[in-house]
Every structure is written in structure tokens, then in C-alpha cells.
Amino acid sequence: MILDYIRAVTLLAALPSPGDLVELPFMRTALIELTLLGVVGGLLGAWIVLRRLAFFAHAVGTATFPGLVVADATGFSATLAGLAVALGYAGGVERAGRATPADGGGDHGDVATALALVVALALGVVLASDVFESGAAVDRLLFGTALGLGGADLLVASGAAALALVATLLLGRAWTAVAFDGRGAGALGLPLRVADLLLLGLIAVAAVAALPAVGALLVASLFVVPAATARLLSRSVVGLLTISVGVAIAQGAVGLYVSLWLDVPPGPAVAVVGSSLYALVTLTRAALGGMTAPLPIAEAS
Amino acid sequence: MDLLEPLQSGIERRALLEVALLGGFCGALGYWIASFRLSYPAESLAHGLLPGLVVAALAGVPLLIGGVAGVAAAALAIAIAGRDPRIGSDTATAVAVTGMLGLGGLLALRPDAPARLEELLFGNPLGVTDGDLIAAAALALAGCAALVALHRPLAAVALDGAGAGALGVRPTLVRLALLGLLAAALAVAVQGLGSLLVLAVLVAPAVAVRGHVRSPGRAMVAAGATAIAAGIVGIYASHLLGTAAGASVALALCLAAAIGAGSRSVARPGRQAVATGESGGAPRSRASQ
Amino acid sequence: METATAAAPALAVADLALSYDGSSPVLEGVSFSLPAGSSLCVLGPNGGGKTTLFRALTGELTPLRGRVDIDGRPAYLAQTERTRLDFPVSALDVALMGSLANGRWWLPARRSDRAAARGALARVGLEDRAEVRFGELSGGQRQRVLLARALVQDARVLLLDEPLAGIDPASRERIEALFRELRDEGRTLLVSTHDVDSARGFDRVVCLNQRQVAFGEPATALSRDALEQTYGDEIVVLDDEADGTFRAVTVQHHHH
């Protein structure tokens, strides 16, 4: 009954029926993919937010762009190409100890990373438009696609989801302790380096899984934004994880619907939906709770 | 190769002039952006202004206006996102920037929208009009004048904000001025290099000259000169190789940075890390493990 | 001069030199040993090497020279940083983290660990605050929770980096009482501080200013000469008693 009502309303408003998400085969695939990615992004996103790895998550996705262009043009596996770049980037970042902008060493690592991303993007563009002349692929690789998702992508996303789940169960306590008090956790005997490597590596792998659906530029829409929203609403680490997954899945579904409605790729839609939700939550909290955080003029460090 | 060939074409002449004007100012400004550790905010504003550009392109309004509006919107979004102290500033910025990038993509990738997204993302120096050149020249002149006027307070605050305060220089005002210049630079430079690549012209020259010059004044000039040179090389390369102009300029700038940084560590080899005496791996008796 | 004790020391450091860049030492010439159940005050100015020494004792920093022998894995209570106050963990969660030291950190916490955490919180007087968010506790309460974590870890050696800085006097007393209890149990405490006066209450004192200036019982280690070498002109010495003892006050900026 309610479904009929919704259908009627959406028809009147010339919106697509939400049922299309499930009835149209390619949309069904996209929905399952985004749900799986929501699990991954929600779980890992919690650690990303707690460990201040938001920039890393965005960067590792962006860095894969040239690899994706090459793979796309030559028929090589995009997943493998993405993994090679992403894991290489993660390894380099870990060795340099520059995962977060707040790390010691300050701006030098920041700047190098930012320039490396510029190089990646510029290279990708040159490869796409002038070497391979596959210019049309650029939008798809940067912003994702709903139509082009297939069984292989679902498989990769399932694998990533399973990995994220297992890792959270096994490593969650250690990651929490390290995020809470790195030095104290080290004193407790936790292998800090291994824990960090695993986390960075996992984020890299998971980001690659998300690339086909949301694109290289918008990995953070699933890996940072839902967890940030959840952080505003949760009071414990377990709560953060749960809410984060829930928000990510919901965000993916609504984003997919918007992408169907406006006929745009899913990445931008998911990003806009997610960030809008975050804005709603934070502004509501401010209005209700009278938050008095001063507007941040750029900090010197 | 005929050096004068690109100068024959009005399009490329304008492109060369544009990158020279922008490079000079943005390179010099970039030295301070790097000194004040503002590269991450600069990058965030650059990416975040995309929707402003898209709206301007869709509405047929000059991109400069879109750039200014875009920077303002991005700054507002970042400020709102960062209100809750539980969310670190880098996470909040990521949320804001992702949202803005998504918004820009959403508006630009609708089927009925004219396909100019790549230009807005990666720049189009060859699309520079005379109007754009005038704006760039005005910015470069005004901006360089401002930098000259401000360079002593900037140096004082960069070195020691608290101490500068005691000298009567107000760090907050200096930082605000710097941010204002950054916003203006981004709004104009983004036409040539695009939202995703514009950071190169701000940051790469500073990296290239770091360690090679002693005083801030000289560093500014050197950075500006490096940016101009790299920009010209980029346009020439794009002409020769037939590659996208904006991307070529960005790559040339990053190459300059790599050369500058690399030659610094060759000229002054790092100290050898040698542990003398008993090695640090001495066994530590533990009850467990 | 230390007399040899029959039992092995809980902590022994010999000719230790530490550096961050692998070549130039920020701290050198550190040698001392501590029997179990004793307390050491690590005294020195900011930048003098107190935290550096602790980092070497936890194994975070590899020595340039020299060796460290330590009984078991020390607990480390670092200077409180702002970010930890936002973290979504309760007092019980933090105390429970001590059980990660038992080696199998990839497994969930056992029931016995949970009981131990509650017991530890009770010992420090916070059993009714177990579910409160760590960041919502007062400074003194937070220090006690970190001590509870050390108890769950069952550390024989505890390293405390300026634990009493900015703590109100009532909590101070409770914490100092806890310190005495821990020592009576045979645990060894190393406490770093600026406060020269409090150093007199410890079994031993080591003065650090990029090198070891003095080590020994407070009466000998806190000589005028040693204090001046440690603090330079940051110290104001006030001649006090007729018997020649004096009070010394450090004048420096505290960054908490």
C-alpha cells in the first residue's frame, strides 16, 4: 500500500520509481555493489576517521588514475593495475611515515604527496587524451559508472567486504588502542608497524574495489563521509562501526537512486548525498547543542 | 624546431603570456603558501571550487566569477564541516571537498549539460581570451605589489608568529591577507590549469627553490621565475608533442620541483647514520616474549 | 655509589646514548640501575631528554650506544594530548587495553581480562565511573584510569611522563598514595617532572640535561652544583635552613 503511494508520488513528480533500483538488472547489480562497498567503506571508514587517514584514503584512490587509463586502453585488468599503484603508494607512504598531514615532518610530506597526485592526474589526462585517445573514459574513471559494473566487480567488492569484516574483528582492538594512544600501545607490545601496514594496505585494496562504481576522485564519499557522519552520532567504537556501515549503505542506495534520476554517474550522486547528510547532522547538532567551535581560519600546521 | 613557431599563433601567444603572468605571481605567492604550511588548505580550496566553475560555465558567465564564487563556497563548506571538534580538520575538509567535487561532477555530467568538465578539471590555457589576459595581468600586478609590500611581515610571522606579535605585526591579519591572495590566485589560475592541477603552479616552484636560496625575498623571485620558465616549457612541449596544454604545464612544473629537490640532496649529501660502539640492538631481558 | 644488591635490578641502563637522526646524540652518558619496588625521579628541563629516555625504555627508540635491561614490558603513561579527549572510549575500555599486552591482541578480550579491568578501576577508586567517556573525566581521574591500565597490564616497571602536571591537589594526593601502594607491591616507578621539590620524596633521582648530570639518593643527587648544571639559569636557589639545606625553584614555561 505504501509502496503504491510512493510509486504514485514519484510518477507525478516525474521521478523514477525506487523499484527500478531492484527491477532493472543493471541497477540491481549496481545496488548490490554499492551495498557491499558500503560495508567496506563503513567499516574501514571508522578507522580512517579515528586514525586521521582521510587524506590518505582520497589520495590512494586518485593516485590510481593513470594506471586505470592504461588498463582501460590496453585491456589489462583495471583491478590489478589499480592494486599495483595503490599498494605501491600505501607502501611508500608508510615508509615515509607520512600517512596523515598531522604527522611529524609536517609540510614536506604533505607537499610531496600533493604534487605526486597532480602528476598522477596530469599523466592520466595526457595518456587518455593524447596517447591512447580514449578521452571519453576520463569521466568514467574519475567519477564511476553504474552501467559498466559486472560480475567481476561484484566479486572484488565481496572480497573486500569479507576482508574488512575479518580485519575489523581481529585487529579492531589493536587499531583502537593505537589510535587512542600510539605510544602507550607500543609500550603494551602491539606491533605498531605491522598494524599500520595492514590498515594502510587494506584501505588501498578496498579503495581499488570502489573505483569502478564511484571513480578515482570520489573514493572518500564511501570511505570517509559516512564514517564522519557516524562519528557525530556515536559514543563508542562499536557504535561508530555500526552506524558508519548503516549510513554508508543507505547513502549508496539513495545516491544510486539520484544517479538514476538525474542520469549521472553514481560517484557524484553518492558524494553529494553523503556530504549533505553530514551537513544536516552537524548543523542540527549545532542548532540543538549550541556548539561553539570557532570557525577555523587556516591553521599554521 | 622553430622557436618562434608557437608565437605565430594568437592562441598560443596568449597561452604563453597567460602562463607567464600567472606563473610569476603564483610561484612567488606559493613560496609563502609553503612556508605557512597552507598546501593542504590550498589544495582543498582548489578542488572545492569546482562547482563554482561548473555553474559559471553552465550559465555562460565568465569563469573568473565562477572561480571567486567557488572559492567562497568551498571555504564556507570547509568551515561548516569543521565545526564539530570531534571531527579533525583534515577529515572535515575531506568531507567538504568530496561533496563539492561530487556536486561539480553532478552538475557537469548531466546528459544535457555542455561537455566542458575536462577543461574545468584540467585547465585550458589555449582557450584564453583577451579578457582573461587582462584579468591575469591585473591580478599579477596587484598581487606582486601586495607581496612586495607584505614580504617583511610575512617573513616575521612565518618565522615566529608569537614573536612577530610582540613586534606589532598581527599574525591573524597577515594570514588573512595571505588567504585572500590565495583565493584570488586560485580564482584566476584555475582557468589555465583547472581545478585539479592548479596546485602545481602554487606549490611546485616553492619546492624547486627550497634549499637553494637563502632569503625569502630571493626565494619569491626565484620561485616566480621558475614557474614562468616551467610554464613556457610546458606550452612548448604541448605544441611539440600534441599533448593537453594544461597538463603539460603542470607536469613541467612538477618536473622543476623534482629537479630542484633532487639537486639539493646531491649538493649536500645527508649525514651518514652510523651507530658507534655497541650496537643498539642489545638484547633486553624481558619476563615474557 | 650504588651498593650491589643480591636481587637483579628491575631496570638497568648502561652508558646509554640516544639520538633521533642516527648520529648526533640528544642524550648520552646515562647509567643507573634500580631495584624492584623503588621509585626514580627523572628531573630535567624541557628538551633535556626525559621523554627521550622513556621512549628508549619502551623500545620505541633504538639506542645509539649502550644497553637497557628491563624486567618485563614497562607501562607508559605519556603526557596527555588533546586528541585523546575526543576518543569514543570509556574508562573501562581504556583499562581493558592493558590486556593487549598478554600477546594475543587479535583475539577479543577474555572475561578474566574484563574482571581484571574492573578490579583495577576499583583499586584506583573509579569503579563507579567505568562507563564514563575517558574525555569527560577530570585530569586526575584520567591519570588514574591510565594507572588502572598499567595494573591490568601487570607491568613491573611504570614510566610516568609528568603525571601530576595540571592536576588538582586532592587528586594529586590520591595519585601519590597510589604510587606508594604500587611501590610496596614491588613495582618500580619512574616519574619525570619539573618540580624539584617533589624529587626529594623519591628513592632515587636522576638529573638529565642532554646528559646524565647526577644520579643517586635525593640528598646527594640534588646538590646545588647538580641542579645548576641541570637547569642552567632557569633555577632560583633560595638558601633556607641554617643547616645548609636549600630550596630550589625552577623558572620555566610549562607546555601541557
Side-chain angles (χ1 to χ4, degrees):
Chain A
M1 247 270 288
I2 298 199
L3 290 177
D4 292 331
Y5 182 70
I6 295 180
R7 266 202 203 99
V9 168
T10 54
L11 262 173
L12 278 172
L15 292 170
S17 158
D20 283 350
L21 283 181
V22 186
E23 283 155 29
L24 297 174
F26 71 89
M27 272 295 151
R28 205 162 42 225
T29 310
L31 185 61
I32 299 176
E33 172 91 356
L34 280 172
T35 307
L36 288 168
L37 291 175
V39 171
V40 186
L43 287 176
L44 292 184
W47 308 114
I48 288 172
V49 166
L50 287 176
R51 290 295 311 275
R52 312 262 152 134
L53 290 172
F55 179 71
F56 171 75
H58 167 75
V60 79
T62 309
T64 63
F65 177 54
L68 295 179
V69 171
V70 172
D72 196 66
T74 59
F76 189 68
S77 156
T79 310
L80 287 179
L83 275 175
V85 176
L87 287 172
Y89 176 76
V93 157
E94 200 282 334
R95 172 153 330 145
R98 310 249 182 260
T100 77
D103 272 355
D107 213 46
H108 292 229
D110 247 13
V111 165
T113 318
L115 288 181
L117 291 182
V118 167
V119 170
L121 287 166
L123 260 182
V125 152
V126 166
L127 285 171
S129 48
D130 307 312
V131 174
F132 294 113
E133 290 179 20
S134 54
V138 168
D139 291 339
R140 172 168 47 87
L141 296 175
L142 287 179
F143 293 102
T145 172
L147 299 175
L149 298 174
D153 301 312
L154 286 181
L155 209 56
V156 171
S158 313
L163 261 180
L165 206 52
V166 166
T168 300
L169 288 172
L170 290 184
L171 297 168
R173 287 184 71 207
W175 281 339
T176 305
V178 173
F180 173 69
D181 172 15
R183 233 164 242 169
L188 286 166
L190 290 180
L192 295 180
R193 186 126 195 273
V194 169
D196 273 358
L197 267 171
L198 282 172
L199 182 57
L200 294 182
L202 208 50
I203 295 172
V205 169
V208 171
L211 291 174
V214 295
L217 269 187
L218 296 175
V219 165
S221 66
L222 282 176
F223 281 73
V224 176
V225 180
T229 309
R231 180 75 178 88
L232 294 174
L233 298 170
S234 64
R235 293 181 50 81
S236 68
V237 174
V238 171
L240 175 61
L241 285 163
T242 324
I243 299 179
S244 181
V245 170
V247 170
I249 293 178
Q251 190 182 307
V254 175
L256 191 60
Y257 176 77
V258 170
S259 99
L260 177 64
W261 167 33
L262 296 176
D263 203 1
V264 293
V270 171
V272 170
V273 168
S275 295
S276 307
L277 180 61
Y278 176 91
L280 191 64
V281 172
T282 196
L283 289 173
T284 310
R285 287 189 69 91
L288 291 180
M291 201 97 52
T292 49
L295 292 185
I297 299 181
E299 295 137 20
S301 62
Chain B
M1 179 197 71
D2 181 9
L3 270 176
L4 295 176
E5 200 182 303
L7 297 176
Q8 312 289 10
S9 141
I11 292 179
E12 286 175 320
R13 226 184 2 246
R14 279 199 292 274
L16 282 168
L17 203 48
E18 169 100 350
V19 296
L21 286 169
L22 288 178
F25 169 55
C26 293
L29 176 64
Y31 171 73
W32 294 113
I33 299 297
S35 304
F36 277 73
R37 304 190 161 202
L38 289 174
S39 351
Y40 185 56
E43 181 189 22
S44 310
L45 286 175
H47 291 193
L49 60 76
L50 182 67
L53 291 180
V54 173
V55 168
L58 291 176
V61 153
L63 283 184
L64 181 58
I65 300 183
V68 170
V71 170
L76 185 63
I78 293 175
I80 292 179
R83 286 207 56 140
D84 194 310
R86 282 175 297 176
I87 306 289
S89 69
D90 54 313
T91 308
T93 310
V95 171
V97 169
T98 304
M100 295 306 246
L101 280 176
L103 183 60
L106 191 118
L107 293 170
L109 289 173
R110 288 168 307 133
D112 51 330
R116 281 188 64 187
L117 185 57
E118 264 192 55
E119 273 179 37
L120 303 176
L121 287 174
F122 300 107
N124 184 17
L126 300 178
V128 161
T129 65
D130 286 329
D132 296 328
L133 265 184
I134 295 176
L139 174 82
L141 276 173
C144 285
L147 282 179
V148 166
L150 282 170
H151 93 271
R152 287 181 66 204
L154 280 169
V157 176
L159 177 68
D160 171 17
L167 293 167
V169 173
R170 303 255 290 274
T172 323
L173 290 182
V174 170
R175 286 201 186 102
L176 268 173
L178 194 57
L179 285 174
L181 284 173
L182 173 64
L186 283 174
V188 176
V190 92
Q191 300 171 68
L193 285 172
S195 162
L196 294 181
L197 302 181
V198 70
L199 188 72
V201 74
L202 282 170
V203 165
V207 172
V209 307
R210 189 193 292 157
H212 291 287
V213 279
R214 301 246 164 226
S215 75
R218 273 187 228 156
M220 272 202 296
V221 171
T226 308
I228 294 175
I232 294 178
V233 166
I235 297 289
Y236 267 91
S238 136
H239 175 86
L240 255 187
L241 304 169
T243 51
S248 307
V249 169
L251 285 171
L253 286 163
C254 293
L255 186 61
I259 294 176
S263 60
R264 180 171 24 113
S265 52
V266 163
R268 264 186 269 151
R271 287 179 292 189
Q272 301 276 326
V274 172
T276 56
E278 209 174 309
S279 96
R284 309 169 56 194
S285 49
R286 290 194 175 286
S288 53
Q289 194 204 68
Chain C
M1 261 301 259
E2 294 300 306
T3 54
T5 48
L11 172 70
V13 172
D15 193 30
L16 194 63
L18 302 171
S19 126
Y20 286 111
D21 61 5
S23 59
S24 47
V26 301
L27 182 64
E28 56 187 337
V30 183
S31 301
F32 60 82
S33 86
L34 296 172
S38 64
S39 64
L40 173 73
C41 177
V42 182
L43 206 57
N46 281 334
K50 306 197 294 288
T51 304
T52 311
L53 176 63
F54 280 1
R55 292 175 72 183
L57 294 178
T58 61
E60 183 188 338
L61 197 59
T62 313
L64 202 52
R65 276 197 301 280
R67 63 185 276 144
V68 173
D69 286 304
I70 193 165
D71 180 14
R73 206 185 288 286
Y76 185 32
L77 278 72
Q79 294 180 357
T80 38
E81 295 144 29
R82 292 208 36 135
T83 49
R84 293 202 290 177
L85 299 183
D86 294 338
F87 213 78
V89 282
S90 67
L92 185 61
D93 292 331
V94 175
L96 195 52
M97 286 181 192
S99 67
L100 288 166
N102 66 22
R104 269 174 252 102
W105 42 267
W106 55 87
L107 296 176
R110 297 174 299 194
R111 202 172 307 168
S112 53
D113 292 330
R114 268 187 203 281
R118 286 197 186 276
L121 280 179
R123 237 191 109 178
V124 301
L126 288 174
E127 66 269 27
D128 54 342
R129 292 271 202 278
E131 309 299 335
V132 176
R133 217 119 315 276
F134 183 77
E136 289 164 22
L137 297 170
S138 75
Q141 289 170 331
R142 290 199 296 271
Q143 283 295 73
R144 286 191 273 153
V145 171
L146 293 178
L147 279 173
R149 183 179 69 178
L151 285 173
V152 174
Q153 180 185 346
D154 199 21
R156 306 308 304 164
V157 177
L158 284 82
L159 311 172
L160 297 102
D161 211 336
E162 303 200 33
L164 298 174
I167 308 284
D168 62 280
S171 303
R172 262 178 181 247
E173 288 206 21
R174 291 195 76 155
I175 294 175
E176 282 171 337
L178 274 167
F179 288 172
R180 286 192 287 277
E181 276 183 45
L182 293 171
R183 268 163 45 206
D184 292 339
E185 285 175 2
R187 301 182 204 267
T188 309
L189 269 62
L190 282 78
V191 178
S192 81
T193 179
H194 297 293
D195 184 358
V196 178
D197 268 346
S198 66
R200 291 172 206 280
F202 287 74
D203 296 330
R204 306 275 192 291
V205 178
V206 66
C207 298
L208 298 177
N209 186 5
Q210 300 180 335
R211 62 185 175 84
Q212 179 168 314
V213 171
F215 169 70
E217 294 181 14
T220 42
L222 293 178
S223 69
R224 203 187 188 113
D225 183 49
L227 285 175
E228 277 168 11
Q229 284 188 57
T230 307
Y231 283 100
D233 48 345
E234 278 182 18
I235 195 158
V236 174
V237 177
L238 312 163
D239 276 317
D240 209 348
E241 313 297 305
D243 60 3
T245 58
F246 56 89
R247 295 196 57 212
V249 176
T250 56
V251 182
Q252 47 183 293
H253 302 289
H254 293 255
H255 298 288
H256 296 310

